[in-house]
Amino acid sequence: MEEITGRNSAAADPRRVIFHVDMDAFFVSVEELFDPSLKGKAVVVGGHRDERGVVSAASYAARKFGVHSAMPLRTAAKLCPDAIFVNGHPERYREYSGKAFEVLKKFSPKVEMASIDEAYLDMTGTERLHGPPLKAAHALHQFMKSETKLNCSIGIGTSRLIAKVCSDQAKPNGVLYIVPGQEASFLAPLSVRKIPGVGKVFEQKLNEIGIKKVGDLAKLDDAFLRERFGEWGLALAGKSRGLDAGGYFDRDVAVDEGPKSISHEHTFNTDTRDQEKLEAMIARLSEMVCRRVREHELHARTVQIKLRYSDFTTITRAHSLEQPTQLDTVVAETARTLFRDNWQRGRTIRLIGVHVAGFDDVPQQLDLLTQTHDDKVSKALSVVDRMRDKFGENAVSLATGLKSRFREKTHENPASLPGKSKKKE
DNA sequence: TCTGGGGTCCTAGGACCC
DNA sequence: TCTGGGGTCCTAGGACCC
């Protein structure tokens, strides 16, 4: 495993060759593979036209109507009434993401999947094997198409930031290489919004002081930047001048380290204040979360819930356990206590979520009795997980008997529950 | 047209320890 | 009696990304 230092002294090295590979309209393209009749049409992935939800991905044909991801589905339906709305299929996307990863690994041992449809490759020193950067990129591009039937765009530069911005400029289905030394002049004419990490809020703040282009940012005084925008603003300005400014975009390309948090949340079709319904959802979400915690062979220390009321005000409340856990019941009981202590009873809820973090590979040493008990429970749950894989989620009836016994156990151990002293809002 | 779900990273204050 | 910092953990919230 690579060590991540946060700062990489090689970042400004002109010999460094970083690829950013981004799949084009990934979700839509995968859906087209499963249903070729969708090809070339206005397609919206994310749900049905009258559902509560937003667009996950839109085909290029749909984008022409102004449809874009994160837009409410109902808005998309208004803008583009003839669009075909399809549900997303996360399993398919994971499958094709895996295929793409296999392709990338043939070009460099240093591949970092940055999300389901994009990756960084460290291609430094691969010239003898794959030729110069552009040649390697074209070979990769073709191989990706032949192996997965999917198009991608590739950005090449001396840092992750440059590679990432390049792949965006190369879209769709293109390759763009910024040769060493040209970084600052490449970035200068671009809108600050093109810099990953600069969103609506930061763009607005910059616009307020007359900064629209990356080049404008490069001219600002360091002390002013730091005072006004903190460390990140300073780093950003450094990058706009082609410097190694540290942080995420100058990190090494690292192999996958596993998740840092796992969560599930649910938005109700209609808002509710039915406590039974809400707590049943907490139990279900806790099971889904813990199942994935077990799949990764992790143990979580912090349990967090999220409540979103009808007026969209959102709170999160967390509690750290004495001992990391992967047990449904421990997470569910903790989440339920957090819920009962913090829900303003009577206020209708739109969304509820369960989130865990603070992972350990190995649970901390417990006293022998608890440990053997928890081991047994974990093993039993793994069996349940496998049965569900084989026979479907309705094999859960097996878990019900186990659960009532877990509950006794949790009650014996009230120290693992959140304190009651939590202040109410 | 009301605004998903899964994440990462950062900030900031308070507790607590040295 | 008052006054220090630094470091780390915990919690809450928010920006941002796909």
Side-chain angles (χ1 to χ4, degrees), chain A residues 262-281:
Chain A
I262 292 175
S263 66
H264 283 284
E265 56 188 54
H266 178 78
T267 296
F268 294 100
N269 280 326
T270 47
D271 301 352
T272 180
R273 58 180 150 206
D274 179 341
Q275 182 163 355
E276 225 175 286
K277 196 170 164 188
L278 288 161
E279 291 188 0
M281 185 54 72

Side-chain angles (χ1 to χ4, degrees), chain A residues 28-42:
Chain A
V28 174
S29 304
V30 173
E31 294 303 331
E32 285 174 0
L33 293 180
F34 284 83
D35 179 0
S37 76
L38 296 174
K39 271 211 160 112
K41 298 197 180 134

Side-chain angles (χ1 to χ4, degrees), chain A residues 48-55 71-80 85 269 350:
Chain A
H48 291 109
R49 61 203 320 134
D50 53 353
E51 266 178 358
R52 214 174 211 190
V54 299
V55 176
M71 170 183 279
L73 291 167
R74 291 185 242 229
T75 310
K78 269 208 145 183
L79 288 174
C80 187
F85 287 75
N269 280 326
R350 171 190 179 90

Side-chain angles (χ1 to χ4, degrees), chain A residues 131-147:
Chain A
L134 271 178
K135 191 176 174 222
H138 284 294
L140 168 53
H141 193 267
Q142 278 190 320
F143 194 49
M144 183 65 81
K145 181 73 177 181
S146 66
E147 291 292 301

Side-chain angles (χ1 to χ4, degrees), chain A residues 216-235:
Chain A
D216 303 333
L217 198 59
K219 291 177 198 144
L220 293 182
D221 182 62
D222 277 0
F224 170 79
L225 275 161
R226 185 199 292 264
E227 195 219 330
R228 189 115 186 182
F229 305 115
E231 290 302 316
W232 199 72
L234 193 61

Side-chain angles (χ1 to χ4, degrees), chain A residues 48-304:
Chain A
H48 291 109
R49 61 203 320 134
D50 53 353
E51 266 178 358
R52 214 174 211 190
V54 299
V55 176
S56 286
S59 68
Y60 287 101
R63 290 183 205 184
K64 286 193 182 142
F65 291 82
V67 177
H68 58 80
S69 52
M71 170 183 279
L73 291 167
R74 291 185 242 229
T75 310
K78 269 208 145 183
L79 288 174
C80 187
D82 295 333
I84 301 166
F85 287 75
V86 299
N87 283 319
H89 296 91
E91 345 72 58
R92 294 179 182 174
Y93 312 143
R94 274 195 294 271
E95 181 194 339
Y96 275 83
S97 182
K99 287 186 184 186
F101 181 66
E102 293 305 317
V103 169
L104 299 176
K105 276 210 305 196
K106 296 225 162 42
F107 285 79
S108 169
K110 279 182 163 180
V111 179
E112 178 180 334
M113 291 301 293
S115 76
I116 196 156
D117 70 341
E118 60 178 313
Y120 291 98
L121 270 72
D122 191 339
M123 294 291 286
T124 310
T126 65
E127 189 145 338
R128 286 177 64 180
L129 199 61
H130 296 297
L134 271 178
K135 191 176 174 222
H138 284 294
L140 168 53
H141 193 267
Q142 278 190 320
F143 194 49
M144 183 65 81
K145 181 73 177 181
S146 66
E147 291 292 301
T148 68
K149 312 291 172 214
L150 296 170
N151 289 332
C152 65
S153 296
I154 305 175
I156 312 166
T158 54
S159 71
R160 296 158 63 107
L161 177 79
I162 296 293
K164 166 98 177 159
V165 176
C166 274
S167 69
D168 185 51
Q169 297 293 107
K171 278 193 170 303
N173 205 21
V175 175
L176 181 60
Y177 176 33
I178 297 304
V179 298
Q182 292 305 302
E183 291 86 355
S185 47
F186 163 64
L187 292 175
L190 300 180
S191 158
V192 288
R193 189 62 195 270
K194 285 281 175 186
I195 303 295
V198 176
K200 226 178 176 171
V201 174
F202 198 38
E203 182 192 25
Q204 179 59 34
K205 281 188 193 171
L206 289 169
N207 284 353
E208 274 165 21
I209 56 167
I211 308 297
K212 297 235 154 106
K213 309 282 184 205
V214 183
D216 303 333
L217 198 59
K219 291 177 198 144
L220 293 182
D221 182 62
D222 277 0
F224 170 79
L225 275 161
R226 185 199 292 264
E227 195 219 330
R228 189 115 186 182
F229 305 115
E231 290 302 316
W232 199 72
L234 193 61
L236 194 57
K239 288 176 209 308
S240 69
R241 299 175 199 134
L243 302 175
D244 162 15
Y248 177 81
F249 283 108
D250 286 309
R251 245 166 47 180
D252 242 330
V253 174
V255 293
D256 185 22
E257 289 188 36
K260 296 191 168 59
S261 68
I262 292 175
S263 66
H264 283 284
E265 56 188 54
H266 178 78
T267 296
F268 294 100
N269 280 326
T270 47
D271 301 352
T272 180
R273 58 180 150 206
D274 179 341
Q275 182 163 355
E276 225 175 286
K277 196 170 164 188
L278 288 161
E279 291 188 0
M281 185 54 72
I282 287 175
R284 216 182 104 198
L285 295 169
S286 299
E287 283 174 17
M288 292 161 71
V289 164
C290 286
R291 185 174 178 186
R292 290 182 47 220
V293 171
R294 289 191 292 276
E295 275 168 12
H296 288 281
E297 298 182 347
L298 295 170
H299 294 78
R301 252 176 61 71
T302 308
V303 178
Q304 184 180 279

